């Protein structure tokens, strides 16, 4: 129908056309800033000849030497034989820049509203939506996106409680259509039966109206960037390194999987508490990565490669990390003071 066609069009534009345009523009800029320079006296292009090493200024030589040394000192990601950039044949760093640009559409310190009237009931809504997403076999990240949709609507409007269940379910349905493959999107009759909205008198038509209401509330902007998306990028690029140590020993093959389990756990944990939306998603994602390394007792706990990957120095995420860690200790007393098995985290 019309709503599905519009959603498909929005998804195509934001997921494919927009990132492709950004990458193309960056390539054009890089090409324009190469060795061509314009003469001050004429409009003709003058190509700068490559200078011999012995004729370069001493300052330039020193900078080139430092860059080479710095590059040679960087460690390789552990357990990654072929980089994600080569696998996908794209510059994934451009996609990360795009995520950083768009992250404030749903979460930012300026939109943080700790006084919203629905917050005392938010934990119940999050648990209920997570359960619905699990029963619909949706990806965990899809549920995270649906909750960002709900938060954006509820923090800016006083929604009657009689509509909460309908709008929460509509958020899940729209997030699934935007994030999932079409064959994984739950049909509306199944959703109505699962959530018992059908027993409350809702039909497929009234549910469609609920979806359209959500879309209007969101201004038809559906590109939400939850921390779990950003963490996925970090892990795909490589968040452990060959010269890391695990509890004082060399890394073993399972360590990257352990880091992923911890990262997923911390993403789910921070999703439950609205207070974490006072931080940018990329900043919270970096703090979650740091918390995962600390929980596994990986050393060093932060390193230049991670600073380059995330764009954050450790001191820029220390406060966020401390918030994550203290909430973790509050929910799981005694676990933060000792190393725990990743199995116990996800059980």
């Amino acid at each position: 129908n019309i709503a599905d066609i519009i959603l498909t069009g929005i998804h195509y534009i934001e997921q494919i056309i927009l990132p492709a345009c950004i990458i193309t523009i960056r390539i054009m800029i890089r090409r324009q800033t190469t060795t061509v320079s314009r003469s001050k006296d004429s409009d003709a292009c003058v190509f700068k000849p490559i200078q011999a090493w012995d004729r370069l200024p001493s300052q330039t030589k020193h900078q080139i030497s430092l860059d080479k040394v710095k590059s040679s000192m960087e460690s390789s990601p552990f357990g990654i034989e072929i980089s994600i950039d080569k696998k996908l044949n794209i510059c994934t760093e451009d996609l990360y820049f795009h995520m950083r640009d768009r992250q404030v559409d749903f979460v930012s310190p300026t939109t943080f509203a700790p006084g919203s009237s629905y917050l005392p009931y938010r934990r119940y809504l999050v648990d209920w939506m997570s359960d619905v997403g699990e029963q619909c076999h949706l990806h965990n990240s899809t549920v995270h996106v649906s909750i960002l949709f709900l938060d954006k609507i509820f923090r800016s409007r006083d929604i009657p409680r009689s509509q909460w269940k309908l709008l929460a379910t509509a958020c899940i349905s729209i997030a699934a259509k935007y994030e999932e493959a079409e064959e994984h999107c739950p049909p509306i009759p199944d959703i109505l039966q699962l959530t018992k909205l059908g027993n409350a008198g809702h039909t497929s038509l009234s549910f469609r109206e609920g979806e359209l209401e959500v879309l209007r509330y969101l201004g038809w902007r559906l590109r939400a960037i939850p921390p779990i998306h950003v963490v996925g990028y970090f892990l795909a690029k490589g968040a452990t390194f060959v010269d890391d140590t695990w509890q004082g020993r060399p890394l073993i093959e399972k360590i990257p999987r352990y880091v992923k389990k911890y990262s997923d756990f911390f993403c789910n944990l921070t999703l439950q508490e609205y207070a974490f939306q006072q931080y940018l998603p990329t900043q919270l994602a970096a703090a979650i990565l740091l918390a995962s390394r600390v929980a596994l007792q990986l050393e060093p706990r932060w390193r230049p490669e991670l600073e380059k990957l995330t764009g954050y120095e450790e001191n820029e995420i220390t406060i966020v990390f401390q918030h994550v860690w203290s909430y973790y200790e509050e929910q799981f007393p005694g676990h933060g003071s000792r190393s725990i098995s990743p199995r116990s985290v996800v059980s």
Side-chain angles (χ1 to χ4, degrees):
N1 57 35
I2 296 177
D4 288 336
I5 294 173
I6 294 174
L7 281 172
T8 302
I10 294 173
H11 180 273
Y12 179 78
I13 292 172
E14 292 199 335
Q15 293 280 28
I16 299 176
I17 296 180
L18 188 56
C21 290
I22 293 173
I23 293 172
T24 302
I25 292 171
R26 291 184 183 277
I27 293 174
M28 292 174 65
I29 292 173
R30 287 170 185 164
R31 286 178 177 174
Q32 289 175 358
T33 56
T34 53
T35 58
V36 179
S37 66
R38 290 198 173 274
S39 172
K40 294 182 180 179
D41 299 329
S42 67
D43 293 331
C45 289
V46 178
F47 290 84
K48 296 181 179 179
I50 298 176
Q51 299 184 44
W53 173 263
D54 55 359
R55 295 184 180 180
L56 288 175
S58 58
Q59 186 177 0
T60 304
K61 291 181 183 179
H62 180 66
Q63 184 61 45
I64 293 175
S65 300
L66 287 178
D67 291 342
K68 286 184 177 181
V69 170
K70 186 176 180 180
S71 177
S72 64
M73 291 176 63
E74 290 184 356
S75 181
S76 302
F78 179 80
I80 297 180
E81 296 181 0
I82 302 176
S83 70
I84 189 67
D85 294 57
K86 290 184 178 179
K87 285 182 180 180
L88 301 179
N89 198 28
I90 62 173
C91 178
T92 55
E93 188 177 357
D94 288 332
L95 299 179
Y96 181 53
F97 291 151
H98 177 63
M99 285 194 288
R100 293 191 69 157
D101 290 340
R102 294 295 301 272
Q103 63 181 336
V104 295
D105 289 350
F106 282 83
V107 178
S108 74
T110 58
T111 58
F112 181 60
S116 299
S117 59
Y118 81 103
L119 290 183
Y121 310 96
R122 184 182 179 277
R123 177 69 177 268
Y124 165 77
L125 287 169
V126 169
D127 290 342
W128 183 81
M129 293 173 72
S130 299
D131 184 56
V132 171
E134 185 176 350
Q135 293 187 58
C136 291
H137 307 290
L138 300 177
H139 288 97
N140 192 24
S141 59
T142 301
V143 176
H144 285 234
V145 169
S146 70
I147 292 170
L148 288 188
F149 288 171
L150 187 80
D151 282 328
K152 185 170 184 177
I153 295 171
F154 278 40
R155 70 170 175 250
S156 58
R157 292 172 178 83
D158 190 13
I159 305 295
R161 291 188 63 179
S162 59
Q163 295 185 26
W164 285 12
K165 194 173 185 179
L166 173 63
L167 293 183
T169 308
C171 286
I172 295 172
S173 178
I174 292 172
K177 291 173 181 176
Y178 190 80
E179 297 284 327
E180 303 274 347
E182 184 177 357
E183 59 269 19
H184 295 157
C185 296
I188 289 180
D190 294 352
I191 294 179
L192 294 177
Q193 181 179 3
L194 175 63
T195 60
K196 299 182 179 179
L197 283 171
N199 297 342
H202 286 287
T203 63
S204 295
L205 183 60
S206 65
F207 186 77
R208 289 292 189 194
E209 290 298 322
E211 288 185 317
L212 287 173
E213 189 173 1
V214 167
L215 290 169
R216 285 192 289 266
Y217 282 146
L218 298 176
W220 295 82
R221 296 175 66 88
L222 304 179
R223 183 74 167 108
I225 311 292
I228 197 169
H229 277 179
V230 184
V231 168
Y233 165 79
F234 293 159
L235 298 179
K237 294 285 281 188
T240 54
F241 300 88
V242 293
D243 58 351
D244 280 339
T245 60
W246 173 52
Q247 299 179 359
R249 302 188 297 271
L251 299 189
I252 60 176
E253 183 180 354
K254 295 180 179 179
I255 290 298
R257 294 201 296 272
Y258 287 172
V259 173
K260 184 182 186 312
K261 284 186 177 182
Y262 270 115
S263 298
D264 289 344
F265 163 74
F266 282 119
C267 284
N268 291 330
L269 183 68
T270 54
L271 180 70
Q272 296 172 352
E273 179 55 54
Y274 179 74
F276 289 102
Q277 290 199 18
Q278 65 185 292
Y279 310 115
L280 292 172
T282 54
Q283 192 178 27
L284 180 56
I288 285 172
L289 181 57
L290 174 58
S292 302
R293 289 176 62 90
V294 170
L296 272 171
Q297 297 185 7
L298 294 180
E299 291 291 343
R301 64 185 220 166
W302 202 250
R303 49 188 302 152
E305 293 86 352
L306 292 174
E307 178 185 330
K308 180 179 179 181
L309 173 65
T310 65
Y312 293 104
E313 298 179 2
E314 184 175 355
N315 62 351
E316 294 179 289
I317 58 172
T318 299
I319 293 177
V320 189
F321 162 74
Q322 290 173 347
H323 190 175
V324 172
W325 197 258
S326 62
Y327 186 69
Y328 164 50
E329 290 184 319
E330 177 186 328
Q331 300 298 312
F332 299 89
H335 283 280
S337 59
R338 59 186 173 89
S339 176
I340 59 176
S341 166
R343 281 185 191 171
S344 65
V345 166
V346 296
S347 60

